[in-house]
Amino acid sequence: MQPLIDNARTFGQRPEEFAKLAEGQSPQVLFITCSDSRVVPALITGARPGQLFELRTAGNIVPPHTSLHPTSEAATIEYAVEVLGVRDIVVCGHSHCGAVGALVRGDDLTAVPAVRDWLAHATPRPAGVAEDPEVAEGVRAHVLTQLLRLRSYPCVERKLAEGRLGLHAWYYEVHTGAVRAHRPQTDTFESL
């Protein structure tokens, strides 16, 4: 913890670098990814403060849209699309994902009921090889499912129909740093 505290102490000693941020934000991309500490959107993309609007959830899950019981995730998506006017949404899964790995393996999650109930939103259960520590196949399938789920959000559906929003599925390899994007034409994930 001490190195984090030390950096936080010196971080604010460059106010000229941050003054413009007080004027507002206008990110062009909503980046939906996992809460995993090894996945750092700004590091992966090279984004500076104000360039990415981030939504981080366990397993980069986009819950089903419902107007009866709005979620924090739905509010974030709606705000990004309607208020900030993002032009693109990236759903980025990653190798070695504990959430997707638990789903692929069918782990018993009774000891962590909140995690179990949250992961129930990931349906259908991603396919994959249970012995694969990267869970690459499962993560890629899962990312595409979350991208499809995004299409059910009214604000996303409308902006897609208007041609004012793009959706992207990415797969980040924790062990190499490589990023692959889904190509709908070939239904494959290829290097950016």
Side-chain angles (χ1 to χ4, degrees), residues 56-97:
R56 299 188 63 153
T57 70
N60 54 271
I61 292 173
V62 175
H65 181 269
T66 173
S67 56
L68 296 176
H69 303 286
T71 63
S72 171
E73 296 79 17
T76 299
I77 293 163
E78 183 178 80
Y79 187 80
V81 171
E82 296 290 3
V83 177
L84 296 176
V86 298
R87 300 285 300 161
D88 293 282
I89 300 176
V90 173
V91 177
C92 182
H94 66 94
S95 68
H96 304 85
C97 182

Side-chain angles (χ1 to χ4, degrees), residues 10-11 14 17 19 27 32 94 97 110 160 167 170 178 190:
T10 61
F11 191 72
R14 302 180 312 268
E17 292 180 36
I32 301 172
H94 66 94
C97 182
T110 55
L160 285 170
L167 299 181
W170 285 11
E190 299 174 11

Side-chain angles (χ1 to χ4, degrees), residues 146-154 156-158 160 167:
Q146 302 319 299
L147 207 64
L148 285 173
R149 175 107 20 94
L150 266 174
R151 291 177 175 276
S152 71
Y153 282 63
V156 171
E157 182 180 41
R158 187 176 63 260
L160 285 170
L167 299 181

Side-chain angles (χ1 to χ4, degrees), residues 9 29 66 71 85 89 94 96 112 116 129 135 163 179:
R9 284 183 178 140
V29 177
T66 173
T71 63
I89 300 176
H94 66 94
H96 304 85
V112 283
R116 178 198 61 219
V129 180
V135 291
V179 179

Side-chain angles (χ1 to χ4, degrees), residues 140 144 168-173 177-192:
R140 290 173 181 165
L144 293 175
H168 311 274
W170 285 11
Y171 173 71
Y172 170 65
E173 292 181 346
V179 179
R180 302 183 190 289
H182 182 258
R183 303 289 182 227
Q185 309 86 314
T186 59
D187 195 26
T188 60
F189 280 80
E190 299 174 11
S191 295
L192 287 176

